[in-house]
Amino acid sequence: MKVFKFGGASVKDAAGIRNLAKIVSVEKGNLVIVVSAFGKTTNALEGVLNSWQSADGSYNDHLENIYDYHLSIAEELFPPSGEGRNIIEGSFSKLKDYLRSVKGTEYDFDYDQIVSYGEVWSTLIVAEYIKKSGLPAEWIDIRENLITDERYRDANILWDESTECVRKVFDFNSFRYFVTQGFIGGTKNGHTTTLGREGSDYTAAILANMLDAECLIVWKDVPGVLNADPKWLPGSEKLEEMSYREAVEMTFSGAKVIHPKTIKPLQNKNIPLIVKSFIDPAEKGTLVTADPILRKILPVFIRKRNQILITLLPKDFSFVMGDNLSRIFNLFTGNGIKVNLVEASAVSIDVCVDDEKRKVDALLALLKDEYSAIYNENVEMLSIRHYTPESIERITAGKEILLEQRTRSTVRFVVKG
Ligand code: ADP
Ligand code: ASP
Ligand code: MG
């Protein structure tokens, strides 16, 4: 069996769903189809959550827009009218009930209960459309099968319990196609969790691992993994093959094309990852394996935006290395802040992190008695793998560089955005 994953950049309208159905229909073997929320639905649901929490009364309008968007897709796919509505009505009502009856208290918990609906709606529509196209398909609620801990918004998979459920529920003796949600899971107590933004690729890799898939294909709006985001640098080239290691380095540095956590479950079982074009399915894409054939090494450019650069100095001038360092890192982890770059000197440490203001403010409040903190908001982290002098010049010319770090294979710059 294979696992296919379709993201919101590809599946954003009725034409996208028809294309998805066409792609899966030519597949001869068993298939698990992992789908993200349509288009930018997750962002829109974050908007609903925020206005619901601030009680400004506008959350209903936001939700109506999301409903209309899904209804218009469903109605286009399932004429005559009424049928499309039936598919999504029930789960929209459930979310409305939640928003009406619950008084939000825990941001991360409420986030997962609310924002997870994007994947529920998309998969209900996709599964129904595939069935209507005559394919033997079943919709699976992954919240009951991918069991996680209670770390809301960044949940960890409980592998043993989940593997058992997943192997049971994806029963290819009954169906050849299964459609399920990326990004979301559920606790043992039945609460919904999410695996972190952009996490559908990760879900697909987890299922590929648990089901011993032959390969995972992620279908994207690009021809494969390129040596730069084409929305950033023109003339980027496709990487025909790459190693798991290279893919981890690239995605951890911020290449948005695949979620960084995707690689490990695949590498552990030597399952090939193929990144392919949703627009041009006959094209070859990029093959990620343990032993790639590398014809030429290109510099690979990665831009991670919306960063904060924090400099911490112990007020008593003690050395940063040693106890200070471990304490600082424990606090970053404990506050759920991911560290993207670290540079330490004798009595100061620079850390580049994602701009999540709430979390960073909470952390700085904890450190303020012992450390002075300086920080720059709105900075970018630029990385080049396999750098050359020309490649550095290409992306740093005219930029104000706040920090530079070089290893043998990678150079990183923190620059003003
Ligand atoms: P989806 O959510 O549909 O799976 P994403 O939007 O998360 O897709 O990822 C695809 C996008 O990743 C592309 O549209 C492209 O702009 C961006 N991207 C960033 N870096 C790269 C890269 N090195 N190669 C290809 N695409 C990249
Ligand atoms: N829908 C989720 C998000 O936008 C997960 C994903 O797309 O991978 O973050
Ligand atoms: Mg994505």
Side-chain angles (χ1 to χ4, degrees):
M1 56 83 55
K2 295 179 185 170
V3 179
F4 281 11
K5 181 258 166 177
F6 298 89
S10 307
V11 189
K12 53 179 189 294
D13 50 23
I17 296 152
R18 287 195 196 100
N19 194 31
L20 179 158
K22 205 165 131 202
I23 290 172
V24 302
S25 69
V26 295
E27 202 46 43
K28 298 276 173 287
N30 297 332
L31 208 57
V32 170
I33 302 162
V34 176
V35 184
S36 314
F38 291 157
K40 301 266 181 232
T41 300
T42 306
N43 292 356
L45 280 165
E46 287 182 347
V48 170
L49 168 74
N50 292 334
S51 56
W52 176 68
Q53 283 225 322
S54 63
D56 66 5
S58 70
Y59 82 80
N60 244 327
D61 298 342
H62 290 294
L63 192 56
E64 282 308 315
N65 289 339
I66 300 173
Y67 178 75
D68 290 345
Y69 169 55
H70 284 80
L71 185 62
S72 72
I73 293 177
E75 284 191 332
E76 193 177 332
L77 293 172
F78 309 104
S81 73
E83 203 175 325
R85 188 181 292 271
N86 290 342
I87 296 165
I88 54 170
E89 198 68 31
S91 54
F92 265 95
S93 297
K94 261 197 193 154
L95 174 56
K96 282 183 189 156
D97 285 347
Y98 185 88
L99 294 168
R100 257 196 306 266
S101 59
V102 174
K103 201 170 150 18
T105 45
E106 290 234 14
Y107 186 84
D108 289 352
F109 175 81
D110 289 322
Y111 182 102
D112 287 1
Q113 309 321 303
I114 294 166
V115 172
S116 53
Y117 272 93
E119 271 67 14
V120 175
W121 301 322
S122 65
T123 51
L124 284 171
I125 294 174
V126 167
E128 198 54 34
Y129 187 72
I130 291 180
K131 281 191 218 169
K132 280 264 149 59
S133 317
L135 303 174
E138 174 85 330
W139 180 83
I140 298 286
D141 190 339
I142 208 67
R143 294 170 294 186
E144 292 166 7
N145 297 288
L146 209 54
I147 314 297
T148 73
D149 64 8
E150 298 186 347
R151 198 181 159 98
Y152 295 100
R153 289 186 73 192
D154 193 18
N156 296 297
I157 306 296
L158 304 182
W159 279 83
D160 291 343
E161 290 91 328
S162 301
T163 305
E164 205 180 310
C165 294
V166 162
R167 288 194 178 153
K168 214 177 279 166
V169 78
F170 291 94
D171 175 10
F172 293 104
N173 293 317
S174 320
F175 291 95
R176 198 157 77 70
Y177 291 90
F178 288 97
V179 176
T180 198
Q181 308 79 36
F183 178 53
I184 68 178
T187 66
K188 283 182 187 160
N189 299 330
H191 290 123
T192 305
T193 51
T194 64
L195 311 180
R197 284 302 307 263
E198 302 291 333
S200 295
D201 296 334
Y202 180 41
T203 304
I206 295 166
L207 296 180
N209 174 301
M210 291 175 177
L211 295 167
D212 293 310
E214 192 183 310
C215 67
L216 163 61
I217 304 186
V218 293
W219 299 87
K220 297 274 172 177
D221 63 343
V222 280
V225 180
L226 311 173
N227 76 326
D229 184 346
K231 291 182 190 128
W232 172 37
L233 296 181
S236 44
E237 287 182 53
K238 188 173 82 189
L239 308 171
E240 302 288 338
E241 292 198 22
M242 68 197 299
S243 65
Y244 292 125
R245 159 95 204 272
E246 189 66 34
V248 168
E249 293 283 358
M250 250 184 102
T251 55
F252 183 78
S253 296
K256 190 177 131 35
V257 63
I258 7 177
H259 190 283
K261 283 180 162 176
T262 310
I263 306 302
K264 192 166 180 283
L266 300 176
Q267 194 251 340
N268 286 350
K269 288 211 170 160
N270 233 334
I271 299 169
L273 166 68
I274 304 157
V275 182
K276 265 176 83 89
S277 168
F278 182 70
I279 300 143
D280 212 346
E283 279 296 308
K284 226 168 132 217
T286 298
L287 175 66
V288 186
T289 58
D291 302 302
I293 300 166
L294 300 173
R295 293 202 177 80
K296 64 175 175 178
I297 307 284
L298 291 170
V300 174
F301 302 91
I302 305 136
R303 174 165 65 159
K304 204 171 172 74
R305 301 169 87 176
N306 303 324
Q307 299 291 293
I308 304 187
L309 179 65
I310 307 171
T311 306
L312 294 170
L313 301 110
K315 285 186 176 162
D316 64 0
F317 243 66
S318 58
F319 295 130
V320 168
M321 290 298 183
D323 290 350
N324 263 322
L325 198 61
S326 62
R327 181 145 180 273
I328 291 171
F329 277 108
N330 281 336
L331 282 172
F332 273 95
T333 320
N335 282 272
I337 301 175
K338 295 208 173 82
V339 173
N340 299 321
L341 174 150
V342 185
E343 180 77 32
S345 76
V347 290
S348 78
I349 178 165
D350 292 296
V351 184
C352 197
V353 300
D354 291 346
D355 187 351
E356 292 187 89
K357 203 76 178 56
R358 307 158 69 104
K359 291 182 179 172
V360 172
D361 285 347
L363 173 83
L364 292 180
L366 291 172
L367 288 169
K368 76 174 184 330
D369 291 339
E370 294 159 71
Y371 298 87
S372 314
I374 312 166
Y375 63 94
N376 296 82
E377 288 179 280
N378 196 21
V379 301
E380 296 182 354
M381 187 171 88
L382 305 180
S383 308
I384 313 174
R385 301 270 303 152
H386 318 298
Y387 57 89
T388 58
E390 301 74 40
S391 62
I392 292 175
E393 176 61 19
R394 181 167 181 210
I395 60 166
T396 58
K399 297 264 180 201
E400 185 180 339
I401 297 171
L402 302 170
L403 190 152
E404 175 176 342
Q405 189 178 69
R406 273 179 209 235
T407 66
R408 257 168 271 184
S409 55
T410 309
V411 61
R412 290 190 211 287
F413 301 93
V414 178
V415 300
K416 286 228 165 127

